[in-house]
Amino acid sequence: MGKKHLKLCVNYFIIAMLSVVLYSCSTQKDKFLNRSYHKATSKFNGYFNGKESLKEAISKLEKTYQEDYSNLLPTTILGDQKQARKIYPQLNRTIDKAGLVIERHSMEIKGKEKNKWVDDSYFLIGKALFYKQEYSEAIEMFAFINREYEGYIADLSILWSARAQIQLENFTTAEEQILYLDREVKLKKADYALFLEINANYHIKQNNWEKVITYLSKAIKYCGDKKKKVRLTYIIGQIYHQLEDYNSAYNAFDKVVRMNPEYEFLFNALLSRARAFDPKHNDSSKLISEINKMLKDDKNNDYKDQIYFALAEIALKEGEKEQATNHLLNSTANNTGNDQQQSISHLTLGEIYFNDAEYLSAQVHYDTAITFLSENHPDFDALSKKRESLNELVNLYNTITLNDSLYSLSELDEDELKRIIDAIIEEKKEEDRLAKEALRANAGSRSNANSRNQFNPMSGGG
């Protein structure tokens, strides 16, 4: 009898608990039990999983994104549409999980939402749409939140809407929203750091570089993320370098180095600091010593072209043209597939030779540079025209040289002509013999291209 009685009590308890759960599942009753159930389920199930999925998407994007240090870095990694599509599964999961919270746990009673995680779920969907780069849809979601809900979440929806408006280059609307936030809203520290970053991006689009520096400098003070501080400081250095304020650029990159960042940022900060070198304010000996150490480090073997280019820039600033030329030739020789650096190195060589009126040598390097230069380069058209002009000049030069040579030969007697022809034949035979010996000795290997003449076919004259 005791066991039967215990079993009966357990059954009654289960029925009672099921009744409580079923009662609390109702979204139409404004009772403490109902509110607690739906809030807890929303927070620790749908909303939590959706938020984690968004974090996973952002982390995956950041790990797979390839930084382009030759251009201004983005303040936040968003990538292009192709890269965004790679994180669609995680972002769609975020939208689905947040959507379930709204569908199953919304407690709108007498026109007021009783579950505080519902508006947060809408906001989570807006963020996911932003990272999907569906900016118009994200703006609609943020507008809905601002229209339907009150409090801090409504202010945050304006903040993120302004962020999306800037991506779409809707600058008038973005400016109105930024001004409203600045005058009417007191943002929390982390959100205020984002507000300053958004301001910086607005002015980046407008090329207002002094204001960009001001807002990024403020954002660094309010930002709690070390990686973000490193990124923003590096961007400030890039802007100063672009403005040719080399001393400020040097100090910014030096600050990045002292922040002990991840190796990729450290490496590029060291190079950028060297490129920002100003003989008026800095001593080159320490820089050159550091760069030479980088050359000897095996893990930098794929970046020697960039390292030599940095050395060339220091040499140019110190007026050491011949040394700079040798470094640039080493830069082109040690390139392992970085077309952008290859084009920059050849362009610099072309400019050196052009300024020295060595137009044949200049033509060779301009011609090579254009081959590797991206058509999106801002100076692509101007440089292409310069190359065409040099090609015409070289053709004229070759024609004149040929005519001069033919005229000179025409004045020689037959015996002298035969001696010249025999000498040319012997020279050609010797060249072929040496070439065959070199081929046998270095079969399959790539020649060590350090001599100036090897990379400057026009330097031999004649």
Side-chain angles (χ1 to χ4, degrees), residues 127-355:
K127 285 182 176 180
L129 291 170
F130 178 87
Y131 276 99
K132 286 184 80 174
Q133 299 190 17
E134 296 176 1
Y135 298 120
S136 296
E137 291 81 355
I139 287 168
E140 288 179 15
M141 179 58 70
F142 295 133
F144 170 80
I145 296 167
N146 185 256
R147 187 172 61 249
E148 297 295 325
Y149 298 96
E150 297 177 349
Y152 196 63
I153 196 76
D155 295 331
L156 286 182
S157 68
I158 298 173
L159 180 70
W160 277 73
S161 176
R163 196 180 189 189
Q165 299 284 5
I166 291 168
Q167 292 298 125
L168 291 176
E169 299 190 351
N170 296 331
F171 298 125
T172 303
T173 305
E175 186 178 7
E176 289 172 357
Q177 292 177 330
I178 287 170
L179 286 171
Y180 171 80
L181 290 164
D182 192 37
R183 293 171 182 170
E184 305 295 333
V185 178
K186 185 172 178 59
L187 294 165
K188 296 174 183 176
K189 187 177 178 181
D191 297 322
Y192 187 61
L194 178 58
F195 170 74
L196 294 167
E197 182 187 334
I198 290 169
N199 270 277
N201 279 305
Y202 172 81
H203 288 291
I204 285 172
K205 298 280 189 179
Q206 308 293 324
N207 295 329
N208 297 328
W209 301 113
E210 295 296 339
K211 288 188 176 180
V212 175
I213 291 169
T214 299
Y215 281 112
L216 289 181
S217 299
K218 287 183 179 177
I220 291 166
K221 292 178 183 177
Y222 284 90
C223 178
D225 183 353
K226 180 189 171 182
K227 286 185 179 179
K228 175 70 79 172
K229 285 176 182 283
V230 167
R231 174 176 291 276
L232 300 186
T233 306
Y234 191 93
I235 293 170
I236 289 172
Q238 287 183 303
I239 294 169
Y240 275 128
H241 195 274
Q242 181 179 304
L243 296 173
E244 298 183 0
D245 183 350
Y246 298 119
N247 189 43
S248 297
Y250 183 97
N251 291 334
F253 292 128
D254 189 60
K255 201 176 286 184
V256 173
V257 172
R258 287 187 280 110
M259 292 167 85
N260 194 28
E262 292 179 352
Y263 184 74
E264 188 180 357
F265 258 102
L266 176 62
F267 173 82
N268 284 281
L270 287 166
L271 281 188
S272 296
R273 187 179 65 175
R275 289 171 182 172
F277 163 74
D278 186 346
K280 295 176 184 176
H281 300 99
N282 311 116
D283 175 28
S284 66
S285 59
K286 184 182 176 184
L287 275 176
I288 292 169
S289 176
E290 288 177 343
I291 295 172
N292 283 328
K293 285 180 183 176
M294 293 166 72
L295 274 175
K296 294 173 184 176
D297 193 333
D298 289 343
K299 65 174 172 281
N300 294 330
N301 284 343
D302 290 339
Y303 307 105
K304 283 186 176 181
D305 54 342
Q306 297 176 54
I307 299 171
Y308 276 117
F309 186 78
L311 285 169
E313 288 193 299
I314 293 173
L316 282 173
K317 287 175 181 175
E318 294 192 313
E320 300 288 344
K321 194 185 297 181
E322 187 175 349
Q323 192 177 65
T325 302
N326 287 330
H327 287 318
L328 289 167
L329 291 171
N330 277 321
S331 175
T332 62
N334 286 277
N335 190 284
T336 56
N338 185 340
D339 288 352
Q340 193 166 32
Q341 183 60 61
Q342 188 78 312
S343 66
I344 293 169
S345 297
H346 278 289
L347 274 178
T348 309
L349 280 164
E351 288 169 11
I352 290 172
Y353 289 124
F354 187 87
N355 292 333

Side-chain angles (χ1 to χ4, degrees), residues 358-406:
E358 295 184 31
Y359 300 120
L360 275 69
S361 297
Q363 183 268 340
V364 171
H365 291 290
Y366 273 113
D367 200 53
T368 307
I370 297 298
T371 304
F372 290 102
L373 194 65
S374 167
E375 290 185 12
N376 297 324
H377 192 281
D379 298 325
F380 183 83
D381 291 336
L383 290 168
S384 295
K385 288 177 182 176
K386 196 170 187 178
R387 178 185 66 167
E388 289 170 12
S389 299
L390 281 168
N391 286 345
E392 290 176 14
L393 182 64
V394 168
N395 287 334
L396 286 171
Y397 176 85
N398 289 335
T399 301
I400 292 167
T401 302
L402 176 63
N403 288 334
D404 284 348
S405 299
L406 291 172

Side-chain angles (χ1 to χ4, degrees), residues 3-17:
K3 287 183 180 180
K4 287 184 179 179
H5 180 72
L6 180 62
K7 187 176 180 180
L8 190 63
C9 287
V10 169
N11 288 337
Y12 278 131
F13 177 76
I14 292 171
I15 292 168
M17 289 303 297

